[in-house]
Every structure is written in C-alpha cells, then in structure tokens.
Amino acid sequence: MTPLFGQRLISTHEAGMIGVTLVMLGFLYLFFRGSRLGLAMRAAAANRIPRGSSRPRRLDDRARLGMSAAIGAVAGMLIARSCFSSRT
Amino acid sequence: MKREGGGLPRLDLLGETMELLLQQVLAGLATGAIYAAMALAVVMIYQAIDHLNFAQGEMAMFSTFLAWQMIQWGWPFWAAFVAAVALSFLGGVAIERILFKPIHNAPILSQIVAFIALYSMLNSSAGSIWDFNIKTFPPRSA
C-alpha cells in the first residue's frame, strides 16, 4: 500500500475509501433533503402519502433499487481493492 | 534499542505503539465505511420493497466484476468506477422491473425465494462469464 503524502499513518487507498464514502453520503444527504424525488421517497417511506397519489410509488421503488445497487457497487469496488489488490 | 539513557527507549516504544494504534484505528474506520455503505444499500432496498435483499452481496460482487472487466479493457480506474455505478443503477432498475414488480403482492415466502433465485443467478452468471477464481483488483495488466 502506498502511504498518503509520504506519511505512514494511513494508506492512500484507505483515505480514498473514507473519502469516497463521505462524498457518497454527502450526495445522498443532498438528494434526500433537496430534490423532489428524494423528498417524495422519504415521504413514501414514512407512509405519509397514500398510494396512487400524484407521484407514483413504483417510480420511487425503481429509483431506490437502482440507487441501492449503485451504493452496493461502490462498496464492492472499494472493498475489492483493499482485499484483492495483490495475489497473496 | 538503547538500554542506558532511561526514558528515551520507552518513549520511543510509546510513540511506536501510538502510531500502530492510530494506523489500526484509521484502517478500521476505512473498513467500517464500506460496511456502512453496504448497510445503507440493504436499508434502501428494505425501504423500497419491505423485504430484506438476500442478493445484495452478489449484486455488489457483480458490479465489481463489471469494473474489473472495464479496467481489463484498458479503461482508467475512475472511468470504470463511474461506469460500473451507472450500470449498477440501471441493473437495479431492471431487476425491480423484471423480478419484483410482477410479484409485488405475492406471499412473503415467494418473495424470499425470488431473492434466493437472484442470488443464485448473479453468482452463477458471474462465474460463467469471469470464472470462479479470485481476481486481482484492479487487474495486474492495467
């Protein structure tokens, strides 16, 4: 593992793992606070809007499954890089 | 390590121990961030369809193999990263469309069986495309 900025405390990849996760959480925070779809998804999850209201719940479900798969992909790629980066 | 001089070797030892501790804490934090991301993915699917997704790990594995393949083709790491995330998003949407929408009102055991089927399908198709051996990530040739 290459060290970050030449010091030994944390490797570049570990810093990247933390950084990428924080960036992802920041995006999700903004998405769920700021965007129409994000707010609709939160409301649907809290059951505050009935099914069949103006924004269909199925659209939210699809977006949610997609986002979940995308988050899983990020996690998979980061953990693969730290677990399988060398054949030992 | 020097015997005479009293405090100095012990101070060195303390410094090394602290550095080791900090290294371990930071490495643990990095791994914990990944666990948190996986937990977040599981929770998001749970919120969407009210069931636990048993195939979540396989979905992550498949996406990682996609990224591996793209890097193998010579793409730079971050391009493959973004492309794999986008493809995974589309894959998640497709799974919802094809698998979970038709059985939305089915009994819970049917849904669990569908998840296990998805697990099995992703696992086996990754195996048949990229074989079942452990790969180096990112690939050596890249």
Side-chain angles (χ1 to χ4, degrees):
Chain A
M1 287 278 185
T2 45
L4 179 68
F5 303 134
Q7 47 94 11
R8 292 188 296 166
L9 270 186
I10 185 168
S11 73
T12 308
H13 178 60
E14 283 166 354
M17 280 159 81
I18 298 175
V20 167
T21 308
L22 286 178
V23 166
M24 191 173 73
L25 288 180
F27 270 123
L28 284 174
Y29 178 84
L30 290 178
F31 174 74
F32 281 119
R33 290 287 155 137
S35 78
R36 275 184 77 86
L37 182 59
L39 287 169
M41 280 160 82
R42 279 174 69 207
N47 248 338
R48 263 185 262 120
I49 52 169
R51 293 191 176 203
S53 66
S54 62
R55 186 169 288 276
R57 188 180 149 88
R58 307 242 33 111
L59 173 67
D60 305 348
D61 285 1
R62 272 205 289 283
R64 235 177 227 284
L65 245 139
M67 283 168 70
S68 171
I71 296 169
V74 172
M77 277 181 280
L78 293 178
I79 204 74
R81 201 162 181 189
S82 74
C83 287
F84 304 115
S85 60
S86 62
R87 218 187 283 267
T88 47
Chain B
M1 208 173 275
K2 266 199 311 188
R3 271 282 159 220
E4 62 275 341
L8 193 61
R10 211 180 291 167
L11 262 180
D12 272 2
L13 196 62
L14 188 68
E16 272 172 34
T17 313
M18 282 309 291
E19 191 179 309
L20 199 63
L21 177 72
L22 264 176
Q23 273 175 1
Q24 291 299 317
V25 167
L26 287 171
L29 200 63
T31 313
I34 304 307
Y35 279 118
M38 278 312 285
L40 189 63
V42 169
V43 167
M44 283 198 70
I45 285 207
Y46 183 80
Q47 290 279 347
I49 53 182
D50 298 323
H51 297 299
L52 184 65
N53 181 7
F54 292 103
Q56 188 68 57
E58 302 306 297
M59 285 160 71
M61 176 272 293
F62 201 91
S63 310
T64 310
F65 265 117
L66 287 178
W68 180 89
Q69 184 63 69
M70 287 180 240
I71 298 173
Q72 185 83 317
W73 285 335
W75 295 25
F77 179 81
W78 288 108
F81 187 95
V82 171
V85 168
L87 275 175
S88 307
F89 182 87
L90 294 177
V93 171
I95 286 172
E96 207 276 343
R97 262 263 156 98
I98 296 165
L99 185 58
F100 292 113
K101 197 176 171 190
I103 60 164
H104 192 241
N105 294 316
I108 185 161
L109 283 178
S110 312
Q111 306 223 5
I112 288 175
V113 167
F115 278 120
I116 295 172
L118 182 62
Y119 178 105
S120 199
M121 282 157 61
L122 286 175
N123 197 323
S124 306
S125 47
S128 76
I129 300 170
W130 294 289
D131 82 39
F132 288 95
N133 292 325
I134 293 174
K135 301 262 191 285
T136 307
F137 185 87
R140 270 293 154 71
S141 56

